């Protein structure tokens, strides 16, 4: 099963490599990875999506918790949560396709953020299936380049991940 | 507040932390630190002949004393030579602090002379690591390193120190930090009371219980509580290889250690048990054999300070995260408060266990007849007799290691010193040296083989320089015995590179360093040679015992079988 594990990490050099290294060292799988500083400059928030049965996920969370640089950790998929990913995608936009791309982008509530005579750059946010669906819709037109941030997520309701 | 350079802070911190010995080897990036060590007398530096030996010395000291061993090496090759020793300590959860010189911070990343990203290289084999970014951070970082290395589930910590951090010209305020706090690191303490109650319920109602105690009982100083619990409930006690000594082996409740070459009775008892109380063990693959056939009738209680050890290989029915000593004492408390109900009788269980013991009594091996080549087992038994079972016993890795574990009997913790997890050949000699330095009044015996010993024999020179009189018992079968055994069993005796065709004349070799060697070939010569070897505690003696190379280690679990599936000799199996 797919899990979204989100953690607060000491904003220290090498902290990220410890997390990533753990996954390869223990033969765990990383599907997406997203990391950036938080409002507290000493902490980064790192979100990883991974696959595994209950036993594997338990091992992943335990081994992550064992890393000294991991301050706090939550498996978002254990409860109601919001997950988002941002994608920038360049698509061919020439002739009739220009209008078609614009229409499809509107349907997906995406934004065209850069324009040339032959290319549109589209920004779209959502969960992973939505982004996948958009790429599929664009395939006939011609997808030139894709940049995805990986999943970021947060729990619904009053629950917060903080110190 | 005093003003000290980074290098002086390191020397001073080590003194304030109570470190007596550090083991190391100098080089460019560490020279400021070496100069600071030269200008003080409190911390004694032992110059090894290869950095790997420094880490094993620190490791041996740590296993015997329970305190972190400290290593100092230079950047690049100095640090990479230490890697095997760091990995050894990591696998066996041994507290160690490794200080590595590094090139100047302005040069990092430029492939400077003797530059290695040692933090990167060691990342998967350390509990944690630090890079010093400012000299004024040195006292706090070092305190954190010692705290992390020695608390919770211990392990090695690497501290990378760029040369400019130790420059003698720059001075900073120094004070010894008595305590450090880490917001992201809180080692487990007390266990969950409800879980402990469940465990006590199971323990008091089980019909075929066993205790399975590991190295965590020794590092957690929980031997006494474990012994109390075993006595209170009359439980059979099996220790892992790392846990040897956690429970006295002269106690009739001790069944020895289980696994690949474990005792017949311990493997049978674990397989047949209906409850395993695991304490400070990690149910590693050398114990469980095929996990899917492991203890088919048993519920598992697993106490460990490290939650990631629990349910890693074997599912725990009652997981208890906590320090072994605290949890075992809480179990004893709860037992004390209970109404003395009619306890479940373990008489049948003990009768069964005694039956297994009787089955193998006197059949473990055939001692050599006069004039015949000695059996390694009888040499270990003879060393046990002459040292009255209270020596520090250190081993290398291979057949001799298993024979030592099987035939030396341990009644106290911290006396059995062996690289169990990583299985590092070459570990033993330096580890024994590290122990002897700190315990000069004790016998420190190294059981080794000519294969392992040759991996670290350059340390004879260190023994000469610092006067480190360890006793070396070389079980010389002129072959890599364990490899040869596997080749006998699985490769139709095709001995691919398991034969040492050009052994040195060990007597001459040892004499070249100014020590004495005694060579023994037959049983008649053994006792006198041992008398001579162990006459004093102040002389290094190398006992080169030529043993029967055809001997195999038994029992030996059948690969992919259950714990009870064992070869018992070259002709018998369960």
């Amino acid at each position: 099963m797919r899990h979204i594990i989100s953690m607060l990490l000491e904003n220290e050099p090498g902290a990220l490599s410890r997390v990533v290294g753990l996954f390869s060292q223990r033969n765990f799988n990383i599907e997406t990875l997203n990391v950036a500083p938080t409002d507290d400059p000493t902490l980064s928030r790192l979100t990883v999506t991974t696959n595994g049965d209950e036993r594997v996920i338990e091992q992943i969370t335990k081994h992550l918790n064992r890393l000294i640089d991991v301050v706090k950790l939550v498996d978002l998929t254990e409860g109601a949560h919001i997950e988002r990913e941002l994608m920038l995608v360049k698509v061919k936009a020439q002739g009739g396709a220009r209008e078609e791309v614009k229409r499809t982008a509107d349907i997906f509530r995406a934004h065209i953020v850069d324009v040339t005579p032959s290319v549109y750059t589209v920004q779209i946010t959502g969960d992973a299936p939505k982004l996948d669906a958009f790429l599929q819709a664009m395939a006939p037109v011609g997808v030139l380049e894709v940049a995805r941030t990986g999943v970021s997520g947060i729990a619904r309701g009053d629950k917060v991940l903080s110190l | 507040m005093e003003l000290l350079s980074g290098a002086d802070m390191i020397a001073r911190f080590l003194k304030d932390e109570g470190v007596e010995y550090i083991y190391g080897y100098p080089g460019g990036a560490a020279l400021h630190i070496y100069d600071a060590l030269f200008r003080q007398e409190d911390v004694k530096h032992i110059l090894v002949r290869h950095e790997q030996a420094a880490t094993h010395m620190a490791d041996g000291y740590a296993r015997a004393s329970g305190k972190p061993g400290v290593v100092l090496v230079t950047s690049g090759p100095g640090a990479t030579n230490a890697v095997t020793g760091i990995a050894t300590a990591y696998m066996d959860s041994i507290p160690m602090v490794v200080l590595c010189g590094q090139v100047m911070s302005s040069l990092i990343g430029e492939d400077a002379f003797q530059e290695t990203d040692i933090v990167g290289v060691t990342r998967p084999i350390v509990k944690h690591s630090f890079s010093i970014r400012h000299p004024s951070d040195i006292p706090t970082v070092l305190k954190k390193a010692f705290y992390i290395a020695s608390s919770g589930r211990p392990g090695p910590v690497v501290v990378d120190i760029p040369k400019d951090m130790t420059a003698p010209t720059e001075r900073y305020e120094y004070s010894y930090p008595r305590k450090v706090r880490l917001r992201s690191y809180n080692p487990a303490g007390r266990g969950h009371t409800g879980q402990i109650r469940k465990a006590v319920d199971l323990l008091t109602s089980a019909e075929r219980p066993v205790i399975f105690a590991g190295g965590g009982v020794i590092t957690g100083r929980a031997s006494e509580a474990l012994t109390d619990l075993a006595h209170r409930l009359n439980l059979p006690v099996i220790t892992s290889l790392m846990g040897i000594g956690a429970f006295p082996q002269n106690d009739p409740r001790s069944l020895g250690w289980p696994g690949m070459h474990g005792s017949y009775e311990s493997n049978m008892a674990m397989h047949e048990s209906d409850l395993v109380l695991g304490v400070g063990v990690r149910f590693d693959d050398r114990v469980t054999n095929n996990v899917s056939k492991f203890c088919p009738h048993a519920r598992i209680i697993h106490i460990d300070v490290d939650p990631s050890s629990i349910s890693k290989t074997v599912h725990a029915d009652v997981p208890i995260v906590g320090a072994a000593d605290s949890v075992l004492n809480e179990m004893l408390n709860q037992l004390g408060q209970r109404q003395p109900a009619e306890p479940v009788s373990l008489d049948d269980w003990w009768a069964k266990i005694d039956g297994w013991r009787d089955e193998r009594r006197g059949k473990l091996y055939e001692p050599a007849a006069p004039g015949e080549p000695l059996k390694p087992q009888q040499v270990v038994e003879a060393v046990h007799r002459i040292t009255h079972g209270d020596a520090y016993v250190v081993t290398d890795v291979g057949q001799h290691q298993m024979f030592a574990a099987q035939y030396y009997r341990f009644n106290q913790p911290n006396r059995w010193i062996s690289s169990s997890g990583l299985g590092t050949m070459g570990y033993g000699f330096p580890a024994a040296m590290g122990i002897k330095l700190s315990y000069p009044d004790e016998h420190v015996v190294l059981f080794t083989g000519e294969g392992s010993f040759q991996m670290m024999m350059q340390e004879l020179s260190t023994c000469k320089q610092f006067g480190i009189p360890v006793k070396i018992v070389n079980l010389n079968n002129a072959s890599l015995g364990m490899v040869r055994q596997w080749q006998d069993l699985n490769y139709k005796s095709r001995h691919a590179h398991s034969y040492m065709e050009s052994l040195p004349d060990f007597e001459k070799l040892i004499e070249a360093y100014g020590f004495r060697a005694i060579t023994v070939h037959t049983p008649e010569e053994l006792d006198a040679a041992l008398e001579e070897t162990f006459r004093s505690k102040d002389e290094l003696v190398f006992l080169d015992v030529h043993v029967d190379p055809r001997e195999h280690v038994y029992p030996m679990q059948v690969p992919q079988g259950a714990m009870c599936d064992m070869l018992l000799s070259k002709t018998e199996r369960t």
Side-chain angles (χ1 to χ4, degrees), chain A residues 10 13 17-18 21-22 24-26 40 42-43 55 58-59 62-63 65-71 163, chain B residues 90 119 123-130 133 148 153 182-185 306-313:
Chain A
E10 295 285 0
S17 70
R18 288 179 213 275
L22 171 72
S24 60
Q25 180 191 343
R26 302 247 174 213
D40 176 347
T42 67
L43 288 174
R55 204 189 68 85
E58 185 185 328
Q59 281 300 307
K62 280 174 168 179
H63 278 104
N65 264 317
R66 199 161 79 133
L67 294 176
I68 310 279
D69 285 333
V70 172
V71 185
L163 293 189
Chain B
Y90 181 72
V119 166
R123 197 197 59 232
I125 50 165
V126 294
K127 185 168 173 191
H128 196 55
S129 44
F130 293 96
R133 316 229 149 233
I148 291 171
R153 178 177 180 180
L182 286 130
R183 62 180 172 184
S184 57
Y185 175 67
D306 176 7
S308 74
S309 272
I310 296 176
S311 295
K312 184 173 70 179
T313 58

Side-chain angles (χ1 to χ4, degrees), chain B residues 15 120 130 139 146 212 232 239 246 274 314 332 348 363 374 406 438 442 544 567 572:
Chain B
K15 176 197 169 199
F130 293 96
F146 275 80
F212 177 38
R232 180 86 67 92
T239 67
D274 67 350
V314 169
L332 286 163
D348 290 349
K363 294 186 192 161
L374 277 152
Q406 288 176 333
S438 292
E442 306 277 348
D544 189 23
L567 306 176
E572 303 160 281

Side-chain angles (χ1 to χ4, degrees), chain B residues 378-392:
Chain B
Q378 75 190 99
V379 179
V380 176
E381 288 195 310
V383 171
H384 177 261
R385 273 196 304 276
I386 198 156
T387 56
H388 311 290
D390 61 6
Y392 285 87

Side-chain angles (χ1 to χ4, degrees), chain B residues 228-514:
Chain B
D228 283 357
L229 183 70
H231 285 186
R232 180 86 67 92
L233 296 173
N234 193 28
L235 301 173
V237 181
I238 294 164
T239 67
S240 72
L241 197 64
M242 281 297 295
I244 288 178
F247 185 77
Q249 291 188 326
N250 60 1
D251 189 301
R253 294 172 193 82
S254 167
L255 307 192
W257 50 277
M260 170 93 48
H261 294 295
S263 72
Y264 175 70
E265 55 265 34
S266 70
N267 280 336
M268 294 304 288
M270 257 176 101
H271 185 76
E272 293 291 326
S273 69
D274 67 350
L275 182 72
V276 175
L277 170 63
V279 195
V281 278
R282 56 189 182 90
F283 292 94
D284 121 289
D285 57 280
R286 291 286 127 145
V287 166
T288 59
N289 208 356
N290 186 339
V291 175
S292 63
K293 298 178 185 168
F294 176 73
C295 294
H297 319 291
R299 308 246 258 167
I300 312 277
I301 303 167
H302 192 173
I303 304 167
D304 207 290
V305 74
D306 176 7
S308 74
S309 272
I310 296 176
S311 295
K312 184 173 70 179
T313 58
V314 169
H315 173 76
D317 299 287
V318 183
I320 303 173
V321 178
D325 190 43
S326 160
V327 174
L328 290 171
N329 275 308
E330 174 60 20
M331 291 176 91
L332 286 163
N333 272 343
Q334 291 197 11
L335 276 170
Q337 287 162 8
R338 295 204 169 192
Q339 298 293 340
E342 190 63 32
V344 177
S345 167
L346 299 182
D347 292 351
D348 290 349
W349 181 224
W350 274 113
K352 213 163 182 184
I353 291 170
D354 287 337
W356 288 319
R357 283 171 162 162
D358 290 340
E359 270 180 61
R360 298 306 301 161
R361 206 182 301 279
K363 294 186 192 161
L364 296 178
Y365 75 97
E366 193 73 42
E372 292 287 305
L374 277 152
K375 295 293 164 98
Q377 299 94 322
Q378 75 190 99
V379 179
V380 176
E381 288 195 310
V383 171
H384 177 261
R385 273 196 304 276
I386 198 156
T387 56
H388 311 290
D390 61 6
Y392 285 87
V393 173
V394 189
T395 75
D396 266 303
V397 170
Q399 282 187 325
H400 71 267
Q401 176 187 31
M402 295 295 105
F403 289 134
Q406 288 176 333
Y407 293 96
Y408 201 96
R409 316 290 291 168
F410 295 84
N411 300 324
Q412 344 173 33
N414 306 97
R415 299 266 165 160
W416 160 253
I417 313 281
S418 188
S419 166
S420 308
L422 197 67
T424 308
M425 287 174 70
Y427 168 82
F429 183 29
M433 290 159 58
I435 298 166
K436 183 66 185 178
L437 266 175
S438 292
Y439 299 90
D441 301 331
E442 306 277 348
H443 273 311
V444 179
V445 186
L446 167 68
F447 285 106
T448 185
E450 73 297 323
S452 289
F453 186 70
Q454 287 188 94
M455 285 203 180
M456 277 285 128
M457 66 183 179
Q458 79 285 346
E459 297 307 318
L460 286 163
S461 177
T462 308
C463 288
K464 185 177 181 187
Q465 181 178 353
F466 295 94
I468 310 175
V470 294
K471 308 294 181 189
I472 303 164
V473 179
N474 186 37
L475 295 176
N476 187 344
N477 55 5
S479 55
L480 302 177
M482 191 58 92
V483 172
R484 184 188 161 112
Q485 173 168 343
W486 280 65
Q487 289 168 337
D488 284 341
L489 293 169
N490 300 328
Y491 299 91
K492 301 196 169 114
S493 295
R494 292 190 299 274
H495 295 149
H497 289 267
S498 58
Y499 178 59
M500 309 287 275
E501 284 164 317
S502 48
L503 284 178
D505 178 332
F506 279 109
E507 281 196 21
K508 279 191 186 150
L509 178 80
I510 301 300
E511 278 162 17
Y513 288 94

